[in-house]
Amino acid sequence: MLTVAERFQLSGIGLTLVPDFPVRAGWKNVAEQVVVVAPDGKEVMAQARLHMMHFNFGNAPTDEQRTRTWRVVVSLLNVEKAVVPIGSRVLVSPATHRAVLGTDAKAR
């Protein structure tokens, strides 16, 4: 579903991954087991939360920032930053893939 461009260890949230996604109509937060595939091919199973998050861009947000106020963010629970190098791929169930991206592209 996504290729990790950046990741942040956030207290109480977990390892939060970038990119994030637009919120689609009817979105409901999801928790599921995912597969993380590192660039070297190593696979790790992880519990993930895909949840809507509000970003506050301050008193004078740009037009681009206004469109990014509410986003779907992927967080991995109990996973250390070193386990998910930049370039890793996160694979989700087909139902979650459709809910996030609205497509039937291959997912796991």
Side-chain angles (χ1 to χ4, degrees):
M1 179 184 77
L2 75 88
T3 299
V4 176
E6 187 55 85
R7 68 266 192 263
F8 305 93
Q9 196 80 48
L10 300 176
S11 178
I13 295 175
L15 185 64
T16 301
L17 308 178
V18 174
D20 52 33
F21 301 94
V23 177
R24 297 177 50 80
W27 173 257
K28 292 189 182 356
N29 291 342
V30 174
E32 74 174 52
Q33 197 78 3
V34 298
V35 177
V36 178
V37 182
D40 65 5
K42 291 182 184 172
E43 293 188 5
V44 174
M45 299 290 289
Q47 184 65 27
R49 288 185 337 139
L50 292 87
H51 50 105
M52 190 165 50
M53 184 176 275
H54 181 267
F55 292 87
N56 183 353
F57 293 104
N59 293 332
T62 65
D63 287 340
E64 179 186 351
Q65 288 171 328
R66 275 190 206 91
T67 65
R68 296 180 50 81
T69 300
W70 287 100
R71 303 292 286 179
V72 173
V73 174
V74 179
S75 297
L76 303 178
L77 308 178
N78 302 315
V79 175
E80 296 297 320
K81 191 174 181 179
V83 175
V84 184
I86 291 174
S88 296
R89 292 179 298 127
V90 178
L91 308 176
V92 300
S93 70
T96 297
H97 193 270
R98 282 189 301 276
V100 173
L101 299 176
T103 66
D104 287 321
K106 290 183 181 178
R108 180 165 95 177

